[in-house]
Amino acid sequence: MEICDDEIMLSLSRCLPFYSNPCPESLHLHPRQTQKRHYVNLQNKSHYWWCHLPFIEFVLSNNYFVYNDCTYKQIHGCTMGSPVSPVVANLCIEVIEDSALINSMVPPKTWKRYLDDSFVIIKRDAISAFHDTLNSISFTIETESNDQIAFLDTLVSRKNGKITIEEYRIPRHRDRYLALNSHHEKKYKISTVSTLLNRACNLPSTADEKS
């Protein structure tokens, strides 16, 4: 990936929790939008989504919990802990961001999103206007510093007009994982090592970083 001198890297993070998307806006989307994003099997007819809509709405709108011997009902956002909520919340975010990108006077060159965090490359003089376009999603913006910016588990850098990626850990990270002699099941210990190897092999973009 290339980047010009008049472009800048940004890290956008949504102010509100990922599950805070309102259910009505998330549910009553046109079936073509859900098909476009592969949340509905493309081989099924468009009425598939509408047939299941009442059941999905029931699941997302009936979340109760007990606190201090009192029963409460969640009235805002998608149901926490429901397997349906991530799909619906992500669908809602996609529709909102698509609208923001289309209506932006200076659309970004690159937009990569994972849940509610986004990596963006855009013209330096277009940051303010683009941020105003995203007001409906309430993003906070972090700009690159010393030609580098942290995004999720990676450190993205610019070198001679090229983008390079390497592993990143927050400064307070202590490299503490499951102890080999702990009482955790063996499969979890193997998974920990496998995850670290996968990160080291697949996250860096250069051979030097992988070695």
Side-chain angles (χ1 to χ4, degrees), residues 2 75 85 186 199:
E2 298 182 352
I75 59 175
S85 296
K186 182 179 179 180
R199 286 164 52 97

Side-chain angles (χ1 to χ4, degrees), residues 31 35 44-53:
Q35 290 178 352
N44 291 334
K45 297 181 179 179
S46 60
H47 69 269
Y48 178 94
W49 178 258
W50 300 113
C51 290
H52 293 76
L53 185 59

Side-chain angles (χ1 to χ4, degrees), residues 32-40 42 90-91 94-95 98:
R32 293 186 182 276
Q33 293 174 319
T34 60
Q35 290 178 352
K36 175 184 176 183
R37 293 162 177 80
H38 307 290
Y39 291 112
V40 177
L42 294 178
N90 192 54
L91 180 58
E94 285 190 12
V95 173
D98 283 352

